[in-house]
Amino acid sequence: MEDESHPCIRLEKKDLYMFLARHLEESPECHAPSDQFNKTGIVICESGKVHKIVAMSFSKPGLHAVQQIIRCLPTSLRDCTVYLSRKPCTTCTTFLIQGSVSSIYYWPMAPEKTGDDSVVKEDIEQADRLLLRSHISSSVLLPMTSFETVKKIAKKIRCQGQLNSSFELFDDQTEDFKKYCSLFNIDSCKDLCVKRMENAFHCYKFLLECFQLEKKEREETVHQHALQLCYFLAARSDDPDRGVGCTLYSQDGYFFGAGYNGYPIGILYANLPSIGRRNRRNGLAKRGVVLHAETNVLLYRSKSKIEESDVLYCTKPPCHDCQNLLKEVKIKTIHCVKESSKQSEEVCLYDLKKNFDYHEWKQCSTQHTAGAPIPYLKKEELCIFLALHMENSPSESQNDDCKTGIVICEASKPKRMIALGCSTKELHAVPKVLLRFPNALKGCEVYMSRMPCNYCAKLLVQAQVSQVYYWPNFESEMAENKQRDVLAKHVSTIFTESDIVAAVYVPTIDNQRKMQILNSNRRASDDDDLIPVASVFDGNVDGNVDGNVLKCFNLEHLKEEKLKKYKENLTTAKECFKILASCKDEKIIISEEKSPVNNNPKYTHALQLCDLLASRSDNNNGVGTVIYKEDDIVALGYSGYQKGALNSLFYEKKDDDFDKHAIVCAEANAIIMSSEGDLRNAELITTREPCCGCLKLIQSKNISKVIWPLRDRNQSRGLTEDPSEGQSAATAGGEPA
């Protein structure tokens, strides 16, 4: 389903912060500190889950961007992530180290230091040595948001008018990149980076021109720059049909607050009312659950006391409630963009002009054009699919009348998956996992194939999990019970009173990603062999759904067209899951026995789990791995780039054109991320024959068996060969003759 107003259509946070850093450099108030340095923009944000912006600024005469931030907020940089429009010089690097930041990202443009090539090279190398000794990660980051996604975002943030369709990468930026790419450690993927940069600047320019003034005098350009920052922030909003961005600017020369409207923290894709604010039918409008950008910017500002000279910028006039908040903190000056349509009933311009020094700006026309591919499975989508597939485990101890799959992962990035499990004849899925990991679930996210029962809900509360998401289905005992609605209400009350986010979750997969998924797996079985996926929406031929069922899942706000779209989205998710999880391999190789094993349900199910994991991989020829010990899954992983390289510069569409040296193998990731320290006598199942390096790692952990499917022979042939050691695939447990 392609729903252009769906809340998941928004910028990734890292992309947003890189765009902000780039745009801050373009501020009319930004200047080079001296002749020896380039001007630079900077964004500082916390490294926690919310990734809250602490401050944004730019360099000024005599002050580098980093120094400007530290001057204003000397103690706020600890464990923060820094986004810069250029690679920092040695001076700035020293300040960042002293500020105890955790990581640094920058555009691959000319570095902050200028001068002769030898001087610049020496400065870059010195800065890298300082960072290496301080254990602070530093790397290039290019936004990967597709232009097609940005086009959809533009509609939500009310971008109007016409933008020139022609766009070329600035020649000086291209030359800067080619000149310094070897010093940025990205020489091996130079051509790819040029393409990535073209796409990034195309998206950047598109969003930049969402707001343009008809006049451009000196004072007006300052306000235009600040309002354009607000439009970038609005592109992150998860409000279904209206993105709003807001910033707070201090006359000391930095932005100490940034926010956008959306749902409360922890709500995945807004499993709450999404009807227009003025539609108060049955109290289901989004008005009561959506936080405005002005509210968020006040809650997340880094400066407690607001001075009279501080300014608030926003992409639309504040509503009456937000005006009261702004008066309370003594905001005096407000700059907003005039609404293109009739002013909302919530906005009273008379009150704005009466209570504030209010300025309203009118934008001129813009227009835009076409884009690039959308990413594959998100981590949340992968987790819910894994939970669904665990429900189909062939274990003989599983109770077919009441089966549930569960996945538990850490809440903070990289969201390490701690455990997978399913219910048995004696135990529900929740207690089975809790007994294995009694002290490891605090603050974790839980994904389940069904809504948990009262008993499981209480156990999750006692385990102190942070969030619980489940597929729209009941455990069978709840479905058959006449008091099902009452029990569901009890479950909801248990989570609500315990301050745990709990909601039904259906992955949102648009048409483009759907086609990528459907075309990705050429080994999918016939329709008759596809794994079944059930939900509470099944069996309704006339399309009607029991209102009590919707109420049980807090979906009563879905009416008519909204409900229809939700069911279409559910159908798409089920179809994609079946394709990803229903592959059956004719032959399976066990390294210990060096012979094929056919039609083993345990290994078939495990390999299907591996296929799901492989769909999360960074490269097209993805690999997934699962490790079993005593019939419990104790580790899993997929191939990909190093932690923190979310928007990797190594990726290519063609399977043979990515940088293999930068990939961490699925087997290595599974062992590294294992929740079980002792893997002796465990079984490792993977989608491809392991390479020589992984085999050594497997042997060092005393894993007894390695299992992989016998698929295309050219996939695995030679992967375990190491000319330096003279080892062949056969001696490493490869294909039998």
Side-chain angles (χ1 to χ4, degrees):
M1 180 186 69
E2 187 168 357
D3 182 1
E4 297 186 10
S5 66
H6 197 277
C8 73
I9 301 176
R10 55 178 182 166
L11 287 182
E12 294 290 334
K13 278 199 172 180
K14 284 190 176 182
D15 291 1
L16 168 65
Y17 296 156
M18 290 308 297
F19 284 145
L20 290 174
R22 170 65 189 171
H23 189 48
L24 284 160
E25 183 181 301
E26 300 301 321
S27 169
E29 295 184 314
C30 180
H31 300 282
S34 68
D35 295 339
Q36 298 178 354
F37 301 95
N38 286 311
K39 60 180 183 177
T40 309
I42 185 172
V43 175
I44 304 280
C45 64
E46 294 179 349
S47 56
K49 181 180 179 181
V50 179
H51 224 43
K52 180 187 78 173
I53 293 178
V54 175
M56 304 184 293
S57 191
F58 35 76
S59 55
K60 292 192 171 186
L63 279 178
H64 296 235
V66 172
Q67 294 172 327
Q68 167 74 356
I69 287 287
I70 289 183
R71 176 181 71 88
C72 300
L73 301 167
T75 61
S76 299
L77 273 62
R78 178 172 292 277
D79 296 326
C80 284
T81 302
V82 180
Y83 297 86
L84 289 156
S85 61
R86 300 176 186 272
K87 186 176 178 67
C89 65
T90 302
T91 302
C92 289
T93 301
T94 305
F95 275 79
L96 291 172
I97 292 171
Q98 292 301 97
S100 300
V101 302
S102 62
S103 53
I104 301 168
Y105 296 104
Y106 54 88
W107 285 86
M109 299 163 53
E112 190 175 17
K113 181 70 175 179
T114 61
D116 295 337
D117 291 347
S118 59
V119 174
V120 174
K121 181 179 179 180
E122 182 181 355
D123 186 79
I124 290 175
E125 291 175 347
Q126 177 65 23
D128 285 340
R129 283 194 293 269
L130 289 171
L131 291 169
L132 184 63
R133 291 168 183 167
S134 304
H135 304 289
I136 295 175
S137 63
S138 173
S139 66
V140 167
L141 176 63
L142 279 171
M144 287 182 64
T145 301
S146 72
F147 191 61
E148 190 67 29
T149 301
V150 172
K151 282 204 308 179
K152 297 174 183 178
I153 290 172
K155 294 184 179 181
K156 187 166 70 172
I157 62 178
R158 300 297 194 267
C159 173
Q160 299 182 7
Q162 316 268 327
L163 176 72
N164 294 331
S165 59
S166 61
F167 173 82
E168 294 181 359
L169 184 64
F170 304 125
D171 292 337
D172 58 339
Q173 292 165 348
T174 306
E175 292 303 317
D176 284 345
F177 167 75
K178 292 180 178 179
K179 184 177 181 180
Y180 296 108
C181 63
S182 61
L183 296 177
F184 295 158
N185 299 316
I186 52 176
D187 194 36
S188 60
C189 52
K190 180 166 54 179
D191 295 337
L192 170 63
C193 286
V194 170
K195 295 177 183 177
R196 182 71 54 74
M197 190 181 287
E198 287 178 352
N199 175 73
F201 274 106
H202 203 172
C203 294
Y204 169 74
K205 186 175 180 181
F206 189 102
L207 291 171
L208 182 67
E209 299 197 18
C210 284
F211 176 73
Q212 293 283 356
L213 291 175
E214 296 175 351
K215 299 179 180 179
K216 288 192 177 180
E217 298 177 3
R218 168 69 184 177
E219 182 181 356
E220 290 179 337
T221 55
V222 172
H223 298 309
Q224 174 179 281
H225 176 266
L227 288 169
Q228 285 171 333
L229 285 175
C230 294
Y231 275 95
F232 278 111
L233 290 164
R236 173 66 185 173
S237 170
D238 60 2
D239 187 292
D241 57 10
R242 181 62 191 265
V244 180
C246 189
T247 59
L248 282 168
Y249 181 71
S250 170
Q251 293 305 317
D252 289 337
Y254 72 104
F255 292 88
F256 63 94
Y260 43 84
N261 61 325
Y263 292 90
I265 295 169
I267 301 299
L268 277 181
Y269 305 119
N271 287 305
L272 288 172
S274 57
I275 304 173
R277 296 179 190 277
R278 286 176 286 178
N279 188 339
R280 296 179 174 84
R281 179 181 56 187
N282 299 324
L284 297 177
K286 65 182 179 181
R287 177 187 180 94
V289 293
V290 170
L291 289 168
H292 289 200
E294 299 90 339
T295 302
N296 279 324
V297 80
L298 293 177
L299 291 175
Y300 289 132
R301 69 185 191 273
S302 57
K303 188 173 74 169
S304 58
K305 184 179 179 181
I306 294 180
E307 309 293 339
E308 289 190 5
S309 58
D310 295 340
V311 182
L312 181 135
Y313 291 92
C314 194
T315 58
K316 70 185 289 287
C319 68
H320 178 73
D321 292 337
C322 290
Q323 289 179 40
N324 290 336
L325 294 177
L326 295 172
K327 284 192 293 183
E328 180 65 24
V329 297
K330 295 181 172 55
I331 286 285
K332 299 295 184 183
T333 307
I334 298 176
H335 288 263
C336 294
V337 179
K338 184 179 180 180
E339 293 271 54
S340 56
S341 57
K342 185 179 178 180
Q343 294 283 6
S344 168
E345 295 175 2
E346 303 172 58
V347 178
C348 180
L349 290 181
Y350 174 78
D351 288 342
L352 278 169
K353 293 176 180 179
K354 176 184 175 182
N355 298 315
F356 304 94
D357 179 15
Y358 180 69
H359 303 268
E360 195 170 70
W361 299 89
K362 181 180 179 181
Q363 60 180 328
C364 61
S365 298
T366 52
Q367 176 175 18
H368 296 268
T369 52
I374 298 174
Y376 212 31
L377 282 188
K378 299 180 176 65
K379 198 64 170 276
E380 297 83 4
E381 295 170 349
L382 172 63
C383 287
I384 202 71
F385 280 172
L386 289 172
L388 285 171
H389 195 48
M390 285 306 299
E391 186 174 296
N392 297 296
S393 174
S395 172
E396 295 180 359
S397 62
Q398 187 164 352
N399 187 345
D400 292 334
D401 296 328
C402 180
K403 54 183 181 180
T404 306
I406 186 172
V407 174
I408 297 180
C409 68
E410 295 174 343
S412 58
K413 290 185 177 180
K415 287 194 173 183
R416 178 175 69 99
M417 285 177 275
I418 296 175
L420 277 74
C422 60
S423 53
T424 65
K425 291 180 179 179
E426 295 80 18
L427 289 174
H428 290 210
V430 170
K432 187 172 187 297
V433 172
L434 290 181
L435 290 174
R436 286 172 51 204
F437 304 100
N439 301 312
L441 272 61
K442 184 176 181 180
C444 287
E445 295 179 353
V446 178
Y447 296 83
M448 300 182 67
S449 62
R450 297 170 183 266
M451 182 181 185
C453 63
N454 283 22
Y455 176 65
C456 292
K458 289 184 289 186
L459 291 180
L460 290 170
V461 171
Q462 290 301 94
Q464 302 180 65
V465 302
S466 62
Q467 301 169 43
V468 180
Y469 297 105
Y470 44 85
W471 185 259
N473 206 358
F474 293 111
E475 288 185 334
S476 59
E477 62 176 300
M478 292 183 65
E480 295 170 1
N481 196 315
K482 295 180 180 179
Q483 299 298 320
R484 179 199 62 193
D485 301 339
V486 176
L487 292 173
K489 184 177 180 181
H490 288 169
V491 170
S492 179
T493 302
I494 288 170
F495 286 129
T496 302
E497 294 299 319
S498 305
D499 297 323
I500 292 177
V501 174
V504 63
Y505 173 48
V506 174
T508 300
I509 301 174
D510 58 35
N511 282 338
Q512 188 169 357
R513 286 205 301 143
K514 173 185 173 182
M515 296 312 299
Q516 284 182 332
I517 291 171
L518 297 184
N519 294 331
S520 67
N521 210 332
R522 300 184 183 279
R523 296 177 297 100
S525 306
D526 296 333
D527 291 342
D528 294 338
D529 295 326
L530 292 178
I531 293 174
V533 186
S535 77
V536 293
F537 295 93
D538 297 339
N540 297 300
V541 180
D542 55 0
N544 296 324
V545 181
D546 185 356
N548 289 331
V549 170
L550 293 176
K551 189 174 182 180
C552 289
F553 291 98
N554 295 317
L555 297 174
E556 65 267 34
H557 61 279
L558 297 176
K559 303 292 183 182
E560 300 172 355
E561 288 299 316
K562 292 284 184 180
L563 180 58
K564 180 181 178 182
K565 289 181 179 180
Y566 190 87
K567 293 175 67 177
E568 289 174 355
N569 188 36
L570 180 64
T571 301
T572 299
K574 290 165 66 174
E575 185 178 359
C576 291
F577 166 73
K578 290 177 181 178
I579 291 297
L580 290 171
S582 298
C583 297
K584 293 184 179 179
D585 294 285
E586 294 181 359
K587 291 185 178 180
I588 299 172
I589 303 297
I590 297 183
S591 60
E592 182 189 58
E593 301 169 3
K594 297 183 180 179
S595 61
V597 177
N598 302 327
N599 301 321
N600 188 315
K602 173 185 175 181
Y603 296 143
T604 298
H605 178 263
L607 282 167
Q608 289 167 342
L609 281 174
C610 292
D611 285 328
L612 280 172
L613 288 164
S615 65
R616 171 70 181 169
S617 177
D618 289 329
N619 55 301
N620 282 354
N621 269 343
V623 179
T625 296
V626 171
I627 299 178
Y628 274 91
K629 185 175 182 182
E630 298 176 355
D631 292 329
D632 288 325
I633 296 176
V634 296
L636 37 82
Y638 47 85
S639 57
Y641 299 103
Q642 309 93 307
K643 183 177 74 173
L646 181 63
N647 295 332
S648 174
L649 295 171
F650 307 108
Y651 178 73
E652 274 278 8
K653 291 182 186 178
K654 295 180 180 178
D655 294 342
D656 298 328
D657 290 341
F658 64 90
D659 284 340
K660 295 180 176 64
H661 73 275
I663 290 286
V664 180
C665 295
E667 298 87 348
N669 273 325
I671 292 173
I672 292 169
M673 300 293 183
S674 172
S675 54
E676 181 77 31
D678 184 5
L679 296 178
R680 282 177 295 181
N681 301 320
E683 294 180 329
L684 184 145
I685 299 96
T686 184
T687 53
R688 286 192 179 189
E689 182 183 358
C691 66
C692 182
C694 287
L695 281 172
K696 292 179 180 178
L697 189 60
I698 291 167
Q699 291 166 0
S700 71
K701 298 295 289 186
N702 295 316
I703 294 173
S704 62
K705 291 183 180 180
V706 182
I707 297 103
W708 69 89
L710 182 60
R711 295 177 179 171
D712 298 334
R713 288 183 175 270
N714 60 0
Q715 284 189 346
S716 59
R717 185 173 298 279
L719 287 181
T720 56
E721 294 177 359
D722 188 341
S724 64
E725 299 184 9
Q727 184 179 18
S728 67
T731 61
E735 297 174 13

